[in-house]
Amino acid sequence: MNFLQPQFLYGLFALSIPIIVHLFNFRKAKKVYFTNTAFIEQVKQTNSAKRKLKHYLVLLSRLLALTFLVFAFAQPFIHSEEDGLTNSHVVVYLDNSQSMSNQTYQEIRGLDEGVAYVNQLLELYPRETQFLLVTNDFSPFSNTFKNTDKVSDRLTEVTLSNAIRSYEEVNKRINSIALANNVNQYDVYWISDYQKSTFGELETESRDTTVTHHFIPITFGNIANLYIDSVFIDNPFDIEVNKAKVNVLMKNSGSQPISDAVLQLYLNDQQISTKTIDLDGNSNTIASFDVVYNFQERNSARFSIEDYPITFDNNFYFNLNAQRQLRVIEIRGQINMKAIEQVYANVDLFDYQLMPEGNIDYNGLNSTDLIILHGLTKLNSSLANQLYQYKKSGGKIVIIPSITFSPNEYALLTGTQITVVDSVENQVQISLQNPDLTHPFYADIFEDNASRFTMPLVKNTITWGRLNSLLSINSGEPYLSYHEDQGISYIFASPLSTSNTDLTQQAIFVPIMYKLASYKSNNNDALYHSIDQPTIAIQLDSIQYDDIYKLKQNDLELIPNQTISGNELIIEIPKNKIHPGFSNLNIKGETQSVIAFNNGRFESNLTQWTREELQVFSDEHPQFKLLNATEAANFSEVMQERYQGVHLWKYAIVFVLLFLFIEMLIIRFYKPTGK
């Protein structure tokens, strides 16, 4: 046993004071005996002996009380087995993601308990210790180490953030800041709910042993959560002007079933539909809404549920915009074939224009969504250069060869030297393979399995080199290929005449041609985006390289990092500033697009790394230590016992009071009597 204040042990000399007082009380008086009082003398001797015993017991109680009082001031402690709380630099990661709004067993927010942990750490370390407070925002405050007072003030400003950070991401941030500040030895405290979906895998590679990592898990009382995972629209090619079918994927991450959960659909801030949802434990379901509405050019939609106490994912925002016409230009050679013209005859969806190869309006090419080169016998250099610039700006081109053509003329459009590898001229028709529906191109095309379609037959095909395939012949050669750089070129391996293929007569032809027009066009913008995406791409009708676009959300207006690629604007999402909801993309005060943002759905799955799993990891990696404080209330005690030893002064105070109480009992109830 050791003492923090051993100088107070000199107070033990004060034990002589009660001894001296009692010695004076025990002085023997001169006794006078009388012969006729022998019996009375015997009684007096008996009572005197019992009184002396009482005095000794009182003296002993006072001595012990005084001894433990001196011990209390000297602050005895049992030395700890581990050294700690001595580093001059300390890093604290405080997870302030939205999941920390969940309640702990003590019925307080996880973030509030995390702040309490940090405040106690500030008190446990010496005042001269420098602290680095890192939160999910990665704010400039966390670029340097600060003293205790500044960190304490900063804690009062920490709020929930929409940013999600993995262990790896935070650890790289800590290492870079420590390196920039020339700090080589420090302690790291990880205060987090340790979600498996966002925190990621526990680090297993060996690390610098001069850095000690402490795990402080925030344990929730309930991790069950009902949330909206995603939203999608059925049959985007068949959407009527004022009608859409909207589907929402609901998930229940808890083990208990949920019944009669109310799901509401709002459109332009008006509630237009409601459904009740039943879900088994750890399951999901899709709810469908038939929306009949007078759609405007831009429509802000929102699904809403009620699920307490996890409320950060109770709303899901998305755009439900009226479809604009897709512009399609067919440049047709000397052939009499109207299959393409008939496909794009739906005036609600397409603005179709036919240009003979001898009468091309070059001015209209750059403002179209799709250009189809159909059966051209020759591609002159002027048209090739114009189409190259169109594709370079993000345009899409479909090449349907004629029976006789020169492949070298099309090399500029594909961005690579492409030559005909082989030309199979025979009268044997070969079937096409079923398409690979996992390819993004085929998303949302087919309601049923494509294997139910009758696949087309082809002959007299051309084999192109170094291209990706969307449709293939049974023999393995590609039939519909594509090459993508800034834009996309699609190439068929044969003319579409009936003497070469029956593709135009099969059911698969129309949806594929529809998708060629809509795939990656600005009419096919994402319904919503996640805040945790690093960047998003938005396709606009016209972009000038010197334009500066702004994001405006309520009263917040900012200029994100942005680049332009073709007709796509790529912006970096400022995840620490953007909130779930709708943001206007403005230029020169005019709204070009409305973007719907939602929190990442990974965070809605609240499954945590358990204390048992963290303990196993800690046992295998000595530089990682699990602190077993179950709540902030006993955190200081756990830390002091582990790194400063067991402090015994409280027990000394208890013994002081105990022996004073015993003294009172002896004085009050111990009464010596004779027989």
Side-chain angles (χ1 to χ4, degrees):
M1 184 174 66
N2 297 302
F3 296 89
L4 289 178
Q5 305 291 340
Q7 64 271 19
F8 281 99
L9 293 177
Y10 289 109
L12 292 176
F13 288 113
L15 295 177
S16 60
I17 297 175
I19 294 175
I20 294 172
V21 172
H22 278 260
L23 285 177
F24 277 105
N25 288 336
F26 291 162
R27 286 185 306 170
K28 293 184 179 181
K30 185 177 180 181
K31 299 179 181 180
V32 179
Y33 294 95
F34 297 91
T35 57
N36 60 347
T37 59
F39 179 75
I40 296 176
E41 178 60 27
Q42 183 181 1
V43 173
K44 287 183 177 180
Q45 286 179 344
T46 303
N47 288 339
S48 176
K50 290 185 176 181
R51 280 196 299 272
K52 288 182 180 180
L53 177 60
K54 177 179 180 180
H55 292 166
Y56 286 130
L57 290 175
V58 171
L59 175 61
L60 180 62
S61 298
R62 290 176 179 175
L63 290 175
L64 290 173
L66 186 57
T67 299
F68 282 106
L69 181 61
V70 173
F71 284 168
F73 280 97
Q75 298 185 40
F77 69 95
I78 299 175
H79 200 277
S80 63
E81 297 180 358
E82 299 183 48
D83 294 328
L85 305 181
T86 58
N87 255 329
S88 60
H89 291 85
V90 176
V91 178
V92 180
Y93 166 64
L94 176 59
D95 183 0
N96 63 331
S97 61
Q98 290 292 333
S99 63
M100 292 286 280
S101 63
N102 196 6
Q103 291 189 348
T104 66
Y105 285 103
Q106 289 73 40
E107 296 185 352
I108 62 174
R109 289 193 315 168
L111 179 60
D112 295 332
E113 182 162 304
V115 170
Y117 278 123
V118 181
N119 278 319
Q120 293 184 55
L121 279 172
L122 298 178
E123 296 176 359
L124 288 169
Y125 277 85
R127 289 285 298 176
E128 61 271 14
T129 304
Q130 295 290 299
F131 289 87
L132 177 67
L133 178 64
V134 180
T135 60
N136 289 23
D137 304 304
F138 285 2
S139 63
F141 180 87
S142 64
N143 290 338
T144 57
F145 286 81
K146 305 290 195 306
N147 61 34
T148 301
D149 293 333
K150 290 183 179 180
V151 175
S152 180
D153 291 340
R154 177 65 177 178
L155 283 174
T156 62
E157 303 174 3
V158 174
T159 58
L160 293 170
S161 170
N162 295 305
I164 299 174
R165 306 291 184 184
S166 65
Y167 168 86
E168 181 180 2
E169 192 175 0
V170 175
N171 197 49
K172 287 182 179 179
R173 171 81 172 181
I174 292 173
N175 291 338
S176 63
I177 295 174
L179 182 63
N181 288 270
N182 295 319
V183 176
N184 299 320
Q185 187 171 350
Y186 51 91
D187 293 335
V188 182
Y189 292 87
W190 297 83
I191 304 174
S192 171
D193 55 6
Y194 291 87
Q195 274 185 271
K196 290 186 176 181
S197 59
T198 57
F199 191 79
E201 293 296 325
L202 297 174
E203 181 66 49
T204 56
E205 63 183 27
S206 60
R207 302 188 52 79
D208 185 359
T209 56
T210 61
V211 178
T212 303
H213 296 258
H214 303 268
F215 291 154
I216 306 178
I218 304 293
T219 305
F220 296 137
N222 181 20
I223 61 172
N225 187 23
L226 174 66
Y227 62 97
I228 301 167
D229 179 81
S230 56
V231 172
F232 58 97
I233 300 175
D234 265 0
N235 302 324
F237 299 116
D238 297 330
I239 293 178
E240 299 177 10
V241 176
N242 295 320
K243 184 178 180 180
K245 186 175 183 180
V246 184
N247 304 290
V248 53
L249 176 60
M250 304 284 298
K251 288 189 175 182
N252 175 18
S253 65
S255 58
Q256 299 298 319
I258 295 176
S259 57
D260 298 332
V262 178
L263 176 62
Q264 299 170 316
L265 173 60
Y266 292 84
L267 197 58
N268 298 327
D269 293 328
Q270 295 182 1
Q271 181 178 332
I272 63 172
S273 187
T274 302
K275 282 192 175 184
T276 56
I277 307 297
D278 295 331
L279 270 168
D280 294 331
N282 296 312
S283 65
N284 56 72
T285 188
I286 295 178
S288 298
F289 291 78
D290 291 319
V291 181
V292 179
Y293 193 81
N294 184 20
F295 292 114
Q296 305 170 16
E297 181 181 357
R298 300 186 182 98
N299 301 276
S300 302
R302 169 172 61 93
F303 279 111
S304 180
I305 58 174
E306 292 185 6
D307 181 35
Y308 182 83
I310 306 167
T311 60
F312 69 89
D313 54 5
N314 284 2
N315 291 294
F316 196 99
Y317 303 89
F318 63 101
N319 291 314
L320 198 59
N321 298 336
Q323 296 285 324
R324 71 166 179 82
Q325 287 180 309
L326 291 170
R327 288 201 63 200
V328 178
I329 293 178
E330 180 187 2
I331 301 177
R332 189 188 298 173
Q334 302 299 318
I335 56 175
N336 184 19
M337 186 177 182
K338 298 185 177 181
I340 304 297
E341 182 178 351
Q342 293 171 350
V343 167
Y344 297 117
N346 188 336
V347 295
D348 290 332
L349 297 178
F350 302 105
D351 177 11
Y352 170 83
Q353 185 178 5
L354 173 63
M355 294 183 183
E357 64 176 331
N359 186 18
I360 300 175
D361 179 11
Y362 287 91
N363 294 326
L365 296 182
N366 289 330
S367 60
T368 189
D369 293 285
L370 180 69
I371 297 176
I372 302 175
L373 307 179
H374 189 185
L376 303 185
T377 56
K378 184 174 180 58
L379 186 66
N380 62 63
S381 58
S382 297
L383 179 58
N385 288 325
Q386 182 79 13
L387 293 175
Y388 172 72
Q389 295 299 326
Y390 163 74
K391 186 191 173 188
K392 189 176 179 180
S393 65
K396 296 178 298 181
I397 301 172
V398 177
I399 301 173
I400 305 173
S402 63
I403 297 176
T404 59
F405 77 106
S406 174
N408 291 329
E409 296 175 354
Y410 295 90
L412 188 63
L413 302 182
T414 60
T416 182
Q417 290 295 323
I418 295 179
T419 58
V420 176
V421 175
D422 189 18
S423 178
V424 182
E425 296 183 3
N426 55 61
Q427 301 302 315
V428 179
Q429 290 185 327
I430 306 174
S431 175
L432 297 183
Q433 297 177 1
N434 290 323
D436 179 11
L437 299 185
T438 62
H439 194 287
F441 177 85
Y442 292 106
D444 303 324
I445 288 186
F446 305 109
E447 285 188 11
D448 301 317
N449 194 308
S451 62
R452 297 178 56 182
F453 286 104
T454 301
M455 296 306 295
L457 301 174
V458 297
K459 64 179 181 179
N460 297 332
T461 57
I462 302 166
T463 303
W464 301 76
R466 291 179 292 179
L467 289 175
N468 301 303
S469 177
L470 289 175
L471 281 176
S472 298
I473 306 170
N474 273 336
S475 57
E477 293 83 4
Y479 181 75
L480 174 58
S481 308
Y482 71 96
H483 179 271
E484 183 174 3
D485 37 37
Q486 292 96 334
I488 309 177
S489 293
Y490 299 97
I491 305 176
F492 283 86
S494 75
L496 296 185
S497 60
T498 55
S499 61
N500 288 278
T501 179
D502 62 347
L503 174 62
T504 59
Q505 303 170 26
Q506 300 298 335
I508 198 174
F509 178 64
V510 173
I512 285 181
M513 296 305 295
Y514 271 29
K515 197 57 179 277
L516 290 176
S518 66
Y519 187 56
K520 293 193 174 182
S521 70
N522 61 353
N523 196 39
N524 198 34
D525 286 338
L527 298 178
Y528 54 87
H529 295 277
S530 176
I531 292 176
D532 58 4
Q533 294 177 231
T535 61
I536 61 174
I538 301 171
Q539 297 187 356
L540 301 172
D541 288 331
S542 60
I543 300 179
Q544 301 297 325
Y545 281 87
D546 57 348
D547 288 343
I548 299 178
Y549 290 85
K550 299 179 180 180
L551 276 179
K552 188 175 189 306
Q553 188 178 62
N554 300 325
D555 296 332
L556 173 68
E557 186 175 64
L558 51 88
I559 301 176
N561 294 332
Q562 52 195 271
T563 57
I564 296 175
S565 176
N567 65 340
E568 278 190 339
L569 174 68
I570 302 173
I571 62 175
E572 182 179 324
I573 299 178
K575 61 176 66 177
N576 58 328
K577 296 181 180 179
I578 291 294
H579 298 280
F582 298 97
S583 296
N584 292 339
L585 182 65
N586 296 340
I587 182 172
K588 299 177 182 178
E590 296 184 359
T591 299
Q592 300 295 309
S593 180
V594 177
I595 308 171
F597 286 108
N598 294 290
N599 285 315
R601 262 27 194 178
F602 287 110
E603 195 170 12
S604 295
N605 186 348
L606 301 177
T607 303
Q608 301 173 274
W609 289 104
T610 64
R611 288 182 178 272
E612 291 74 16
E613 291 171 324
L614 293 174
Q615 186 62 62
V616 170
F617 179 82
S618 176
D619 293 340
E620 295 175 351
H621 303 82
Q623 64 269 34
F624 292 87
K625 301 181 184 298
L626 173 65
L627 299 177
N628 289 315
T630 56
E631 56 181 296
N634 64 355
F635 177 65
S636 290
E637 181 179 347
V638 170
M639 290 291 290
Q640 289 175 349
E641 181 176 342
R642 182 164 185 168
Y643 296 113
Q644 294 181 346
V646 180
H647 291 257
L648 303 176
W649 66 269
K650 294 180 181 179
Y651 301 102
I653 293 295
V654 171
F655 279 111
V656 171
L657 298 176
L658 175 63
F659 286 114
L660 290 176
F661 180 69
I662 291 174
E663 179 187 349
M664 292 173 55
L665 293 178
I666 294 173
I667 295 174
R668 182 179 179 88
F669 297 105
Y670 188 87
K671 299 183 181 299
T673 57
K675 293 185 180 180

